[in-house]
Amino acid sequence: MNGPHSLRRRLWLSGAAGIALAALAAAWLLGAAFERAVMDAFDRRLADDLVTVAGVIARDGNGEVRLRREPADGRYARPFSGHYWQVGDGPDAFRSRSTWDFTPALPPGEGARASGMHYHDLAGPGGQQLRSAEQWLRLPGVAAPVRVWVASDQAIPRAQVAEFRWLAGGSVALLAAGLLLAAAAQVRYGLRPLQGIAALLAKVRSGESHRLDAATLPTEVRPLADHLNQLLDHHEQMVARARDSAQDLAHALKTPLAVLDAGAQQPGTALPGTVREQVARMRAVVERQLAAATPVDRRLRTPVGPVLERLAHYLRQAFASRALAFEVRADPALRFGGRTEDLEEMLGNLLENAAKWARTRVLAEAGQDARGLWIEVRDDGPGLPPAQREAALQRGVRLDQRVAGSGLGLAICSDLAAAHGGRLDLGDAPEGGLCARLVFPDQQPSG
């Protein structure tokens, strides 16, 4: 058995405690039920004995009580036999021979003169524990009611009850032991699918498979396997994202390094400025790639509107010479499920790309509906033919060499959107240019 945090240990101990409590309760209830049945039968026999004794009572000529004959039951003839009777009270009472010199200490008769039979427990001769039954009878011609009392030793029924309790306790103990073995087998069999998950994870770790086969697992365990598959998919996406980031970094640094190499071969007064410019460019590329390589945390909530307003303000300054109009339409309550840096990276690429191609105007609009969060960036530029839109999302592809850039902006934006469970779609804008639409289906409106 494993340590205190073992699931098997917890299940087995809770099952054993339940079985033990149930066994104790069953043994006690069986013993109590048997005792009640035996003592009820004992009281009924006492009542029959009392009727037998009452049947020999008669009235003599003086209006006194007499016995027509002794009860024929031989149990009342042996001294201290454990079976006794008495008719009447005081020294003139009739008693069975079995009482010998024993005078039973009967309860007071005043309160017992009511009709009906009464039962009492009292001490007998030789340490016997007697169970007695008495009744007050009225005989025709006799002035006072007559007490009729019978008693028997409880040793025999009590011994039967004790024997039954031992038998019932032993039987219940054997049953509990069998149930404990069955519970142990049940826990072992029930937890076996978890071992199956461990085996499937070992295959994933060794590279034999890339996902868990949830179809081979029980229904109750499949949700766990599905969540593990989601984690594996997320891990795979993060690995692919890191690989692409490394490729992007290498691609983005290739041009600055080539410029530095060319400047080093032809040194001159412009070399320091070229070095500073290219170093600043490489530093910006490295910082951007490091930010993009940070793992996605969808638990964070970033306001969409302020990010759009801030980026639009920067781009107005960057493209001030062209007098472009930047318009933002976003509900202040909209939230993006991720880091601010990721949202800025995606929207910055889209807005900058739109500003490069726009003639007079760039529009950024965001909303949320039953399909999830969406953000659109539209321009009134020349647009992009449908045949080239898929190529525009590929890494390092530049569709027009006359426009500055590395060809990574849309690809990085698409990769970041996919890392957040979304996608980037390219289409025609109503203004005549390109419409870049980010959609995040997993980010449903709250409420």
Side-chain angles (χ1 to χ4, degrees):
M1 188 171 296
N2 298 327
H5 299 292
S6 169
L7 183 60
R8 177 177 300 175
R9 176 188 176 92
R10 292 164 64 94
L11 290 174
W12 193 90
L13 287 180
S14 60
I19 291 173
L21 291 176
L24 290 174
W28 184 86
L29 289 174
L30 286 173
F34 183 78
E35 181 179 13
R36 181 172 180 177
V38 169
M39 298 312 296
D40 286 347
F42 193 71
D43 288 346
R44 288 194 299 270
R45 193 180 66 182
L46 285 176
D48 293 339
D49 291 345
L50 190 145
V51 171
T52 300
V53 173
V56 301
I57 299 175
R59 180 180 65 87
D60 60 11
N62 298 323
E64 300 293 334
V65 176
R66 69 179 182 87
L67 298 181
R68 289 197 297 265
R69 54 180 174 79
E70 290 278 341
D73 195 333
R75 297 175 301 165
Y76 300 117
R78 299 191 306 272
F80 306 138
S81 64
H83 302 279
Y84 313 99
W85 60 262
Q86 177 176 308
V87 176
D89 284 314
D92 296 332
F94 299 97
R95 295 187 181 92
S96 63
R97 296 180 182 179
S98 57
T99 59
W100 195 249
D101 58 353
F102 166 70
T103 301
L106 301 182
E110 290 78 4
R113 294 178 184 271
S115 61
M117 191 171 300
H118 305 276
Y119 295 91
H120 306 283
D121 293 328
L122 67 156
Q128 295 177 349
Q129 294 295 322
L130 302 181
R131 176 72 170 170
S132 67
E134 68 171 23
Q135 187 172 9
W136 292 81
L137 303 178
R138 289 189 175 275
L139 299 179
V142 178
V146 180
R147 171 186 274 180
V148 181
W149 174 86
V150 296
S152 292
D153 189 5
Q154 303 181 60
I156 295 178
R158 293 297 181 187
Q160 292 175 346
V161 170
E163 182 180 0
F164 179 83
R165 286 186 182 277
W166 279 105
L167 180 61
S171 300
V172 171
L174 289 176
L175 177 62
L179 291 176
L180 287 175
L181 292 176
Q186 182 182 21
V187 169
R188 184 181 182 87
Y189 179 75
L191 294 180
R192 188 173 298 173
L194 297 182
Q195 299 176 352
I197 290 182
L200 293 176
L201 288 174
K203 290 184 178 180
V204 172
R205 180 182 300 176
S206 64
E208 297 182 27
S209 60
H210 299 285
R211 292 171 58 85
L212 303 181
D213 187 5
T216 62
L217 299 173
T219 305
E220 294 79 6
V221 186
R222 289 179 187 175
L224 175 60
D226 293 337
H227 287 300
L228 290 175
N229 282 331
Q230 293 176 6
L231 288 176
L232 290 173
D233 293 341
H234 180 68
H235 176 71
E236 186 175 354
Q237 291 174 2
M238 296 305 300
V239 171
R241 183 182 175 188
R243 183 173 57 251
D244 293 338
S245 297
Q247 294 176 355
D248 295 342
L249 181 61
H251 190 277
L253 293 178
K254 184 183 299 183
T255 300
L257 289 174
V259 173
L260 290 175
D261 182 63
Q265 295 178 11
Q266 299 178 356
T269 58
L271 180 60
T274 301
V275 171
R276 286 194 298 271
E277 178 184 356
Q278 298 304 318
V279 168
R281 183 178 179 182
M282 288 189 292
R283 181 181 294 112
V285 169
V286 171
E287 291 177 352
R288 184 173 67 248
Q289 294 301 326
L290 288 177
T294 304
V296 172
D297 189 351
R298 301 184 188 178
R299 298 172 298 177
L300 301 177
R301 291 293 178 267
T302 300
V304 178
V307 172
L308 287 173
E309 292 285 358
R310 185 166 60 253
L311 292 174
H313 174 71
Y314 294 153
L315 291 174
R316 287 191 191 99
Q317 297 177 350
F319 292 88
S321 60
R322 294 176 52 191
L324 290 177
F326 289 86
E327 182 180 355
V328 175
R329 300 175 186 173
D331 187 342
L334 286 179
R335 296 290 186 272
F336 166 72
R339 298 185 305 120
T340 302
E341 293 80 359
D342 290 345
L343 184 61
E344 289 178 345
E345 181 75 16
M346 290 184 286
L347 297 182
N349 282 322
L350 295 182
L351 287 169
E352 183 179 3
N353 185 75
K356 290 178 181 178
W357 296 97
R359 294 187 177 95
T360 62
R361 179 170 177 264
V362 174
L363 171 63
E365 185 176 6
Q368 195 168 31
D369 51 29
R371 292 173 293 181
L373 175 68
W374 56 268
I375 306 173
E376 287 185 353
V377 176
R378 304 197 296 267
D379 63 73
D380 59 352
L384 189 63
Q388 297 181 356
R389 292 172 186 169
E390 182 177 355
L393 297 178
Q394 297 178 4
R395 314 183 71 81
V397 175
R398 294 176 57 193
L399 300 178
D400 194 336
Q401 301 294 331
R402 295 171 298 176
V403 179
S406 62
L408 295 172
L410 292 179
I412 292 175
C413 184
S414 179
D415 292 344
L416 275 175
H420 287 83
R423 67 180 186 277
L424 173 62
D425 298 328
L426 301 180
D428 296 325
E431 295 81 2
L434 180 67
C435 174
R437 181 181 176 91
L438 286 170
V439 182
F440 301 97
D442 294 339
Q443 302 183 22
Q444 300 294 330
S446 60

